[in-house]
Amino acid sequence: MANKLSIISFSGDFDKLTAVFTLATGAAAVGYEVNLFFTFWGLDAIKKKRGRSFVGGTALTKLFGFFMGGIKAAPVSRLNFWGASAHIFRRLMRKHNVATPEELVAAAITLGVNFYACEMAMHILGLAKEDFIPEVKDVLGVATFLKRSEGGQTLFI
């Protein structure tokens, strides 16, 4: 098995995105090829607009874009307390010198992690490649992502 890690990021939850980027940056730091495939709510992590914004092609998809909120508005998957938990976690992370999700994204970019967006989810949510950070290498279908993942480990978060 090659030193390759591919992660499918399905969730837009704060804690799950933290796990995605912690694993990705850790693997990249020790020389792994890392491929991240963002689909559905996971796409929030790679949007240019990091807070709540009306992103999408139609009124309905713009509403989804607003409610999804971007990485800065990512809720915690359990015990979210109406959004307060993510703020508490960020404060605890800073206090203990642990990187926040936004800092982990920047580290992943610096370490050369490959970012890919799911074509099907983008169509459903009315998103275009221009809605994402420039480091997104490509928009892929599942079959193409699986081909790029061959020979390594693949995780679904």
Side-chain angles (χ1 to χ4, degrees), residues 84-143:
S85 291
H87 297 291
I88 293 167
F89 272 115
R90 279 187 175 86
R91 188 170 60 233
L92 290 169
M93 291 168 120
R94 283 190 295 277
K95 179 181 178 183
H96 296 285
N97 202 28
V98 173
T100 64
E102 296 86 356
E103 293 166 335
L104 289 167
V105 170
I109 291 166
T110 300
L111 290 165
V113 169
N114 300 308
F115 290 59
Y116 300 104
C118 175
E119 182 178 34
M120 179 197 65
M122 287 174 57
H123 287 305
I124 292 169
L125 297 171
L127 298 169
K129 190 169 190 277
E130 298 76 38
D131 294 322
F132 300 109
I133 58 175
E135 290 80 12
V136 173
K137 284 193 168 193
D138 207 354
V139 174
L140 305 176
V142 171

Short mmCIF file of all heavy atoms in Angstrom, two decimals, residues 84-143:
data_model
loop_
_atom_site.label_atom_id
_atom_site.label_comp_id
_atom_site.label_asym_id
_atom_site.label_seq_id
_atom_site.Cartn_x
_atom_site.Cartn_y
_atom_site.Cartn_z
N ALA A 84 -23.22 27.81 20.25
CA ALA A 84 -22.23 28.26 21.23
C ALA A 84 -21.04 27.31 21.35
O ALA A 84 -19.92 27.74 21.64
CB ALA A 84 -22.88 28.45 22.59
N SER A 85 -21.26 26.01 21.12
CA SER A 85 -20.20 25.03 21.33
C SER A 85 -18.99 25.26 20.43
O SER A 85 -17.85 25.10 20.87
CB SER A 85 -20.74 23.62 21.12
OG SER A 85 -21.62 23.30 22.16
N ALA A 86 -19.22 25.64 19.18
CA ALA A 86 -18.08 25.88 18.28
C ALA A 86 -17.22 27.04 18.79
O ALA A 86 -15.99 26.98 18.73
CB ALA A 86 -18.57 26.16 16.86
N HIS A 87 -17.86 28.07 19.34
CA HIS A 87 -17.09 29.19 19.91
C HIS A 87 -16.30 28.74 21.13
O HIS A 87 -15.14 29.13 21.31
CB HIS A 87 -18.03 30.35 20.28
CG HIS A 87 -18.74 30.93 19.12
ND1 HIS A 87 -18.11 31.66 18.14
CD2 HIS A 87 -20.05 30.89 18.77
CE1 HIS A 87 -18.99 32.03 17.23
NE2 HIS A 87 -20.17 31.57 17.59
N ILE A 88 -16.92 27.89 21.95
CA ILE A 88 -16.23 27.36 23.13
C ILE A 88 -15.03 26.51 22.70
O ILE A 88 -13.94 26.65 23.26
CB ILE A 88 -17.21 26.56 24.01
CG1 ILE A 88 -18.26 27.50 24.61
CG2 ILE A 88 -16.46 25.81 25.11
CD1 ILE A 88 -19.46 26.79 25.22
N PHE A 89 -15.25 25.64 21.71
CA PHE A 89 -14.15 24.81 21.23
C PHE A 89 -13.01 25.65 20.67
O PHE A 89 -11.84 25.37 20.94
CB PHE A 89 -14.62 23.81 20.16
CG PHE A 89 -15.11 22.52 20.72
CD1 PHE A 89 -16.44 22.16 20.58
CD2 PHE A 89 -14.26 21.66 21.38
CE1 PHE A 89 -16.91 20.96 21.11
CE2 PHE A 89 -14.71 20.46 21.90
CZ PHE A 89 -16.04 20.11 21.77
N ARG A 90 -13.32 26.70 19.90
CA ARG A 90 -12.26 27.55 19.35
C ARG A 90 -11.46 28.20 20.48
O ARG A 90 -10.24 28.28 20.41
CB ARG A 90 -12.86 28.61 18.43
CG ARG A 90 -13.15 28.11 17.04
CD ARG A 90 -13.58 29.26 16.11
NE ARG A 90 -13.74 28.75 14.77
CZ ARG A 90 -14.87 28.19 14.31
NH1 ARG A 90 -15.93 28.09 15.09
NH2 ARG A 90 -14.92 27.75 13.07
N ARG A 91 -12.16 28.66 21.52
CA ARG A 91 -11.47 29.27 22.66
C ARG A 91 -10.57 28.25 23.35
O ARG A 91 -9.42 28.54 23.68
CB ARG A 91 -12.49 29.86 23.63
CG ARG A 91 -11.83 30.67 24.72
CD ARG A 91 -12.78 31.47 25.59
NE ARG A 91 -13.75 30.60 26.26
CZ ARG A 91 -15.07 30.77 26.21
NH1 ARG A 91 -15.58 31.76 25.52
NH2 ARG A 91 -15.87 29.95 26.84
N LEU A 92 -11.09 27.03 23.56
CA LEU A 92 -10.28 25.97 24.18
C LEU A 92 -9.09 25.58 23.30
O LEU A 92 -7.99 25.32 23.81
CB LEU A 92 -11.15 24.74 24.47
CG LEU A 92 -12.17 24.89 25.59
CD1 LEU A 92 -13.13 23.72 25.60
CD2 LEU A 92 -11.47 25.06 26.93
N MET A 93 -9.31 25.55 22.00
CA MET A 93 -8.22 25.22 21.08
C MET A 93 -7.11 26.26 21.17
O MET A 93 -5.92 25.92 21.24
CB MET A 93 -8.75 25.09 19.65
CG MET A 93 -9.63 23.88 19.46
SD MET A 93 -10.52 23.95 17.90
CE MET A 93 -9.87 22.45 17.13
N ARG A 94 -7.49 27.54 21.17
CA ARG A 94 -6.48 28.61 21.29
C ARG A 94 -5.75 28.51 22.64
O ARG A 94 -4.54 28.64 22.70
CB ARG A 94 -7.12 29.98 21.10
CG ARG A 94 -7.42 30.31 19.65
CD ARG A 94 -7.83 31.76 19.46
NE ARG A 94 -9.09 32.09 20.12
CZ ARG A 94 -10.30 31.86 19.59
NH1 ARG A 94 -10.41 31.32 18.40
NH2 ARG A 94 -11.39 32.20 20.24
N LYS A 95 -6.52 28.26 23.71
CA LYS A 95 -5.94 28.16 25.05
C LYS A 95 -4.90 27.04 25.13
O LYS A 95 -3.87 27.17 25.79
CB LYS A 95 -7.04 27.92 26.08
CG LYS A 95 -6.54 27.79 27.50
CD LYS A 95 -7.68 27.53 28.46
CE LYS A 95 -7.14 27.35 29.88
NZ LYS A 95 -8.21 27.03 30.82
N HIS A 96 -5.16 25.94 24.44
CA HIS A 96 -4.27 24.77 24.49
C HIS A 96 -3.34 24.68 23.27
O HIS A 96 -2.74 23.64 23.02
CB HIS A 96 -5.08 23.49 24.64
CG HIS A 96 -5.82 23.44 25.94
ND1 HIS A 96 -5.20 23.18 27.13
CD2 HIS A 96 -7.13 23.65 26.24
CE1 HIS A 96 -6.09 23.21 28.11
NE2 HIS A 96 -7.27 23.51 27.60
N ASN A 97 -3.25 25.79 22.53
CA ASN A 97 -2.37 25.87 21.36
C ASN A 97 -2.64 24.76 20.34
O ASN A 97 -1.72 24.12 19.83
CB ASN A 97 -0.90 25.86 21.81
CG ASN A 97 0.00 26.46 20.76
OD1 ASN A 97 -0.41 27.30 19.97
ND2 ASN A 97 1.24 26.00 20.72
N VAL A 98 -3.92 24.52 20.07
CA VAL A 98 -4.37 23.54 19.08
C VAL A 98 -4.97 24.31 17.90
O VAL A 98 -5.72 25.27 18.09
CB VAL A 98 -5.41 22.57 19.69
CG1 VAL A 98 -6.00 21.65 18.64
CG2 VAL A 98 -4.76 21.77 20.82
N ALA A 99 -4.64 23.90 16.71
CA ALA A 99 -5.10 24.60 15.51
C ALA A 99 -6.62 24.48 15.35
O ALA A 99 -7.20 23.41 15.56
CB ALA A 99 -4.41 24.03 14.28
N THR A 100 -7.25 25.59 14.98
CA THR A 100 -8.68 25.62 14.68
C THR A 100 -8.89 25.07 13.27
O THR A 100 -7.93 24.95 12.49
CB THR A 100 -9.21 27.06 14.74
OG1 THR A 100 -8.57 27.83 13.71
CG2 THR A 100 -9.00 27.69 16.11
N PRO A 101 -10.13 24.77 12.90
CA PRO A 101 -10.37 24.28 11.53
C PRO A 101 -9.83 25.22 10.46
O PRO A 101 -9.23 24.77 9.48
CB PRO A 101 -11.89 24.14 11.46
CG PRO A 101 -12.30 23.88 12.87
CD PRO A 101 -11.35 24.71 13.71
N GLU A 102 -10.00 26.52 10.65
CA GLU A 102 -9.51 27.47 9.65
C GLU A 102 -7.98 27.41 9.54
O GLU A 102 -7.42 27.48 8.44
CB GLU A 102 -9.95 28.90 10.01
CG GLU A 102 -11.44 29.11 9.98
CD GLU A 102 -12.16 28.75 11.29
OE1 GLU A 102 -11.51 28.25 12.24
OE2 GLU A 102 -13.37 28.94 11.35
N GLU A 103 -7.31 27.28 10.67
CA GLU A 103 -5.85 27.16 10.66
C GLU A 103 -5.40 25.84 10.05
O GLU A 103 -4.38 25.79 9.35
CB GLU A 103 -5.31 27.30 12.09
CG GLU A 103 -5.51 28.68 12.67
CD GLU A 103 -5.31 28.77 14.17
OE1 GLU A 103 -5.46 27.74 14.87
OE2 GLU A 103 -5.01 29.88 14.65
N LEU A 104 -6.17 24.79 10.28
CA LEU A 104 -5.85 23.49 9.68
C LEU A 104 -6.01 23.52 8.16
O LEU A 104 -5.23 22.89 7.44
CB LEU A 104 -6.72 22.39 10.29
CG LEU A 104 -6.37 22.03 11.75
CD1 LEU A 104 -7.47 21.18 12.36
CD2 LEU A 104 -5.02 21.33 11.81
N VAL A 105 -7.02 24.24 7.67
CA VAL A 105 -7.18 24.39 6.21
C VAL A 105 -5.95 25.08 5.64
O VAL A 105 -5.37 24.63 4.64
CB VAL A 105 -8.47 25.18 5.85
CG1 VAL A 105 -8.50 25.54 4.38
CG2 VAL A 105 -9.71 24.39 6.24
N ALA A 106 -5.51 26.16 6.28
CA ALA A 106 -4.31 26.87 5.81
C ALA A 106 -3.08 25.96 5.84
O ALA A 106 -2.27 25.97 4.91
CB ALA A 106 -4.08 28.12 6.67
N ALA A 107 -2.95 25.16 6.89
CA ALA A 107 -1.81 24.23 6.98
C ALA A 107 -1.88 23.18 5.88
O ALA A 107 -0.86 22.83 5.28
CB ALA A 107 -1.79 23.56 8.36
N ALA A 108 -3.09 22.67 5.60
CA ALA A 108 -3.25 21.67 4.54
C ALA A 108 -2.83 22.25 3.20
O ALA A 108 -2.17 21.57 2.39
CB ALA A 108 -4.70 21.19 4.49
N ILE A 109 -3.18 23.49 2.95
CA ILE A 109 -2.78 24.15 1.70
C ILE A 109 -1.26 24.25 1.64
O ILE A 109 -0.64 23.90 0.63
CB ILE A 109 -3.46 25.54 1.59
CG1 ILE A 109 -4.97 25.36 1.37
CG2 ILE A 109 -2.83 26.37 0.48
CD1 ILE A 109 -5.78 26.63 1.57
N THR A 110 -0.65 24.70 2.72
CA THR A 110 0.81 24.84 2.78
C THR A 110 1.52 23.51 2.56
O THR A 110 2.56 23.45 1.91
CB THR A 110 1.23 25.45 4.14
OG1 THR A 110 0.62 26.73 4.27
CG2 THR A 110 2.73 25.58 4.26
N LEU A 111 0.93 22.43 3.10
CA LEU A 111 1.54 21.10 3.00
C LEU A 111 1.26 20.39 1.67
O LEU A 111 1.70 19.27 1.46
CB LEU A 111 1.07 20.22 4.16
CG LEU A 111 1.61 20.61 5.54
CD1 LEU A 111 0.81 19.93 6.65
CD2 LEU A 111 3.09 20.25 5.63
N GLY A 112 0.50 21.03 0.79
CA GLY A 112 0.26 20.46 -0.54
C GLY A 112 -0.83 19.40 -0.61
O GLY A 112 -0.84 18.57 -1.52
N VAL A 113 -1.76 19.43 0.34
CA VAL A 113 -2.90 18.51 0.30
C VAL A 113 -3.75 18.83 -0.93
O VAL A 113 -3.95 19.99 -1.27
CB VAL A 113 -3.73 18.62 1.61
CG1 VAL A 113 -5.04 17.88 1.50
CG2 VAL A 113 -2.92 18.12 2.79
N ASN A 114 -4.24 17.80 -1.60
CA ASN A 114 -5.07 17.96 -2.80
C ASN A 114 -6.54 18.09 -2.41
O ASN A 114 -7.08 17.23 -1.73
CB ASN A 114 -4.90 16.76 -3.72
CG ASN A 114 -3.47 16.58 -4.17
OD1 ASN A 114 -2.84 17.51 -4.67
ND2 ASN A 114 -2.92 15.40 -3.96
N PHE A 115 -7.17 19.16 -2.85
CA PHE A 115 -8.57 19.43 -2.56
C PHE A 115 -9.40 19.18 -3.82
O PHE A 115 -9.09 19.73 -4.88
CB PHE A 115 -8.77 20.89 -2.16
CG PHE A 115 -8.20 21.29 -0.83
CD1 PHE A 115 -6.85 21.15 -0.55
CD2 PHE A 115 -9.01 21.84 0.14
CE1 PHE A 115 -6.32 21.54 0.66
CE2 PHE A 115 -8.49 22.24 1.36
CZ PHE A 115 -7.15 22.09 1.63
N TYR A 116 -10.48 18.40 -3.68
CA TYR A 116 -11.39 18.13 -4.79
C TYR A 116 -12.83 18.33 -4.34
O TYR A 116 -13.18 17.99 -3.20
CB TYR A 116 -11.21 16.69 -5.30
CG TYR A 116 -9.82 16.40 -5.78
CD1 TYR A 116 -8.93 15.65 -5.00
CD2 TYR A 116 -9.37 16.88 -7.00
CE1 TYR A 116 -7.65 15.40 -5.44
CE2 TYR A 116 -8.08 16.64 -7.44
CZ TYR A 116 -7.23 15.89 -6.66
OH TYR A 116 -5.94 15.65 -7.09
N ALA A 117 -13.65 18.86 -5.21
CA ALA A 117 -15.07 19.07 -4.93
C ALA A 117 -15.90 18.06 -5.72
O ALA A 117 -15.56 17.72 -6.86
CB ALA A 117 -15.48 20.49 -5.30
N CYS A 118 -16.97 17.59 -5.11
CA CYS A 118 -17.86 16.59 -5.72
C CYS A 118 -18.79 17.25 -6.73
O CYS A 118 -19.59 18.13 -6.39
CB CYS A 118 -18.68 15.90 -4.63
SG CYS A 118 -19.92 14.75 -5.26
N GLU A 119 -18.68 16.80 -7.95
CA GLU A 119 -19.48 17.36 -9.04
C GLU A 119 -20.98 17.20 -8.79
O GLU A 119 -21.75 18.15 -8.96
CB GLU A 119 -19.08 16.68 -10.35
CG GLU A 119 -19.81 17.21 -11.56
CD GLU A 119 -19.35 16.54 -12.83
OE1 GLU A 119 -19.02 15.33 -12.80
OE2 GLU A 119 -19.31 17.23 -13.85
N MET A 120 -21.42 16.02 -8.39
CA MET A 120 -22.84 15.77 -8.19
C MET A 120 -23.42 16.67 -7.10
O MET A 120 -24.45 17.30 -7.28
CB MET A 120 -23.09 14.31 -7.83
CG MET A 120 -24.56 14.00 -7.59
SD MET A 120 -24.84 12.46 -6.71
CE MET A 120 -24.12 12.80 -5.13
N ALA A 121 -22.75 16.75 -5.96
CA ALA A 121 -23.23 17.58 -4.86
C ALA A 121 -23.27 19.05 -5.27
O ALA A 121 -24.20 19.78 -4.89
CB ALA A 121 -22.36 17.39 -3.63
N MET A 122 -22.28 19.49 -6.04
CA MET A 122 -22.28 20.87 -6.52
C MET A 122 -23.49 21.16 -7.38
O MET A 122 -24.11 22.22 -7.26
CB MET A 122 -20.98 21.15 -7.29
CG MET A 122 -19.77 21.27 -6.41
SD MET A 122 -18.24 21.43 -7.36
CE MET A 122 -18.56 22.88 -8.34
N HIS A 123 -23.84 20.23 -8.26
CA HIS A 123 -25.02 20.41 -9.11
C HIS A 123 -26.28 20.53 -8.27
O HIS A 123 -27.11 21.41 -8.49
CB HIS A 123 -25.17 19.27 -10.11
CG HIS A 123 -24.17 19.30 -11.23
ND1 HIS A 123 -23.99 20.39 -12.05
CD2 HIS A 123 -23.30 18.37 -11.65
CE1 HIS A 123 -23.05 20.13 -12.93
NE2 HIS A 123 -22.60 18.91 -12.70
N ILE A 124 -26.42 19.64 -7.29
CA ILE A 124 -27.61 19.65 -6.45
C ILE A 124 -27.71 20.94 -5.65
O ILE A 124 -28.79 21.52 -5.52
CB ILE A 124 -27.61 18.42 -5.50
CG1 ILE A 124 -27.81 17.15 -6.33
CG2 ILE A 124 -28.70 18.54 -4.44
CD1 ILE A 124 -27.55 15.87 -5.56
N LEU A 125 -26.58 21.42 -5.12
CA LEU A 125 -26.57 22.61 -4.27
C LEU A 125 -26.40 23.91 -5.06
O LEU A 125 -26.35 24.99 -4.46
CB LEU A 125 -25.47 22.48 -3.21
CG LEU A 125 -25.67 21.32 -2.23
CD1 LEU A 125 -24.43 21.13 -1.37
CD2 LEU A 125 -26.90 21.55 -1.37
N GLY A 126 -26.33 23.81 -6.38
CA GLY A 126 -26.22 25.00 -7.22
C GLY A 126 -24.92 25.74 -7.07
O GLY A 126 -24.87 26.96 -7.22
N LEU A 127 -23.84 25.03 -6.81
CA LEU A 127 -22.55 25.65 -6.61
C LEU A 127 -21.67 25.51 -7.85
O LEU A 127 -21.83 24.57 -8.62
CB LEU A 127 -21.84 25.01 -5.41
CG LEU A 127 -22.56 25.17 -4.07
CD1 LEU A 127 -21.91 24.28 -3.01
CD2 LEU A 127 -22.56 26.62 -3.63
N ALA A 128 -20.75 26.44 -8.01
CA ALA A 128 -19.80 26.42 -9.12
C ALA A 128 -18.38 26.43 -8.55
O ALA A 128 -18.17 26.81 -7.39
CB ALA A 128 -20.01 27.64 -10.02
N LYS A 129 -17.41 26.02 -9.35
CA LYS A 129 -16.01 25.98 -8.89
C LYS A 129 -15.56 27.34 -8.36
O LYS A 129 -14.79 27.42 -7.42
CB LYS A 129 -15.10 25.50 -10.02
CG LYS A 129 -13.68 25.20 -9.52
CD LYS A 129 -12.85 24.49 -10.55
CE LYS A 129 -11.55 23.98 -9.99
NZ LYS A 129 -10.48 24.95 -9.94
N GLU A 130 -16.11 28.40 -8.91
CA GLU A 130 -15.75 29.76 -8.49
C GLU A 130 -16.21 30.06 -7.07
O GLU A 130 -15.77 31.04 -6.47
CB GLU A 130 -16.36 30.79 -9.45
CG GLU A 130 -15.85 30.70 -10.88
CD GLU A 130 -16.46 29.53 -11.66
OE1 GLU A 130 -17.66 29.22 -11.49
OE2 GLU A 130 -15.71 28.91 -12.43
N ASP A 131 -17.13 29.26 -6.52
CA ASP A 131 -17.60 29.46 -5.15
C ASP A 131 -16.60 28.95 -4.11
O ASP A 131 -16.77 29.18 -2.91
CB ASP A 131 -18.95 28.75 -4.93
CG ASP A 131 -20.06 29.35 -5.76
OD1 ASP A 131 -20.09 30.59 -5.92
OD2 ASP A 131 -20.90 28.59 -6.25
N PHE A 132 -15.56 28.26 -4.57
CA PHE A 132 -14.62 27.62 -3.66
C PHE A 132 -13.26 28.31 -3.68
O PHE A 132 -12.93 29.05 -4.60
CB PHE A 132 -14.44 26.14 -4.04
CG PHE A 132 -15.74 25.39 -3.97
CD1 PHE A 132 -16.37 24.97 -5.13
CD2 PHE A 132 -16.34 25.13 -2.76
CE1 PHE A 132 -17.58 24.30 -5.08
CE2 PHE A 132 -17.55 24.45 -2.68
CZ PHE A 132 -18.17 24.04 -3.85
N ILE A 133 -12.48 28.01 -2.66
CA ILE A 133 -11.13 28.58 -2.57
C ILE A 133 -10.33 28.13 -3.81
O ILE A 133 -10.59 27.06 -4.37
CB ILE A 133 -10.43 28.17 -1.26
CG1 ILE A 133 -10.34 26.64 -1.12
CG2 ILE A 133 -11.12 28.80 -0.05
CD1 ILE A 133 -9.57 26.15 0.09
N PRO A 134 -9.37 28.94 -4.23
CA PRO A 134 -8.63 28.61 -5.45
C PRO A 134 -7.80 27.34 -5.35
O PRO A 134 -7.41 26.77 -6.37
CB PRO A 134 -7.73 29.83 -5.68
CG PRO A 134 -7.77 30.62 -4.44
CD PRO A 134 -8.98 30.22 -3.66
N GLU A 135 -7.54 26.85 -4.16
CA GLU A 135 -6.74 25.63 -3.98
C GLU A 135 -7.50 24.36 -4.34
O GLU A 135 -6.90 23.28 -4.37
CB GLU A 135 -6.22 25.55 -2.54
CG GLU A 135 -5.17 26.58 -2.21
CD GLU A 135 -5.75 27.97 -1.90
OE1 GLU A 135 -6.97 28.09 -1.71
OE2 GLU A 135 -4.96 28.92 -1.85
N VAL A 136 -8.79 24.46 -4.61
CA VAL A 136 -9.53 23.29 -5.07
C VAL A 136 -9.01 22.96 -6.46
O VAL A 136 -9.18 23.74 -7.41
CB VAL A 136 -11.07 23.54 -5.09
CG1 VAL A 136 -11.81 22.38 -5.73
CG2 VAL A 136 -11.57 23.78 -3.68
N LYS A 137 -8.33 21.81 -6.57
CA LYS A 137 -7.67 21.44 -7.82
C LYS A 137 -8.64 21.15 -8.94
O LYS A 137 -8.37 21.46 -10.10
CB LYS A 137 -6.78 20.22 -7.61
CG LYS A 137 -5.50 20.52 -6.91
CD LYS A 137 -4.56 19.35 -7.01
CE LYS A 137 -3.19 19.79 -6.58
NZ LYS A 137 -2.18 18.85 -6.90
N ASP A 138 -9.75 20.48 -8.58
CA ASP A 138 -10.65 20.04 -9.64
C ASP A 138 -12.01 19.69 -9.05
O ASP A 138 -12.15 19.48 -7.85
CB ASP A 138 -10.06 18.81 -10.34
CG ASP A 138 -10.50 18.66 -11.78
OD1 ASP A 138 -11.37 19.43 -12.24
OD2 ASP A 138 -9.97 17.76 -12.44
N VAL A 139 -12.98 19.64 -9.93
CA VAL A 139 -14.31 19.14 -9.62
C VAL A 139 -14.37 17.74 -10.22
O VAL A 139 -14.10 17.56 -11.41
CB VAL A 139 -15.39 20.05 -10.23
CG1 VAL A 139 -16.77 19.46 -10.03
CG2 VAL A 139 -15.29 21.45 -9.63
N LEU A 140 -14.66 16.74 -9.38
CA LEU A 140 -14.59 15.35 -9.81
C LEU A 140 -15.89 14.61 -9.54
O LEU A 140 -16.60 14.92 -8.59
CB LEU A 140 -13.49 14.60 -9.04
CG LEU A 140 -12.08 15.14 -9.03
CD1 LEU A 140 -11.21 14.27 -8.13
CD2 LEU A 140 -11.52 15.19 -10.43
N GLY A 141 -16.10 13.57 -10.33
CA GLY A 141 -17.13 12.59 -10.01
C GLY A 141 -16.52 11.53 -9.12
O GLY A 141 -15.30 11.45 -8.94
N VAL A 142 -17.38 10.69 -8.57
CA VAL A 142 -16.93 9.66 -7.64
C VAL A 142 -15.92 8.71 -8.29
O VAL A 142 -14.89 8.37 -7.69
CB VAL A 142 -18.14 8.88 -7.08
CG1 VAL A 142 -17.70 7.67 -6.28
CG2 VAL A 142 -19.00 9.79 -6.23
N ALA A 143 -16.20 8.27 -9.51
CA ALA A 143 -15.31 7.30 -10.17
C ALA A 143 -13.90 7.86 -10.33
O ALA A 143 -12.91 7.14 -10.09
CB ALA A 143 -15.88 6.89 -11.53
#
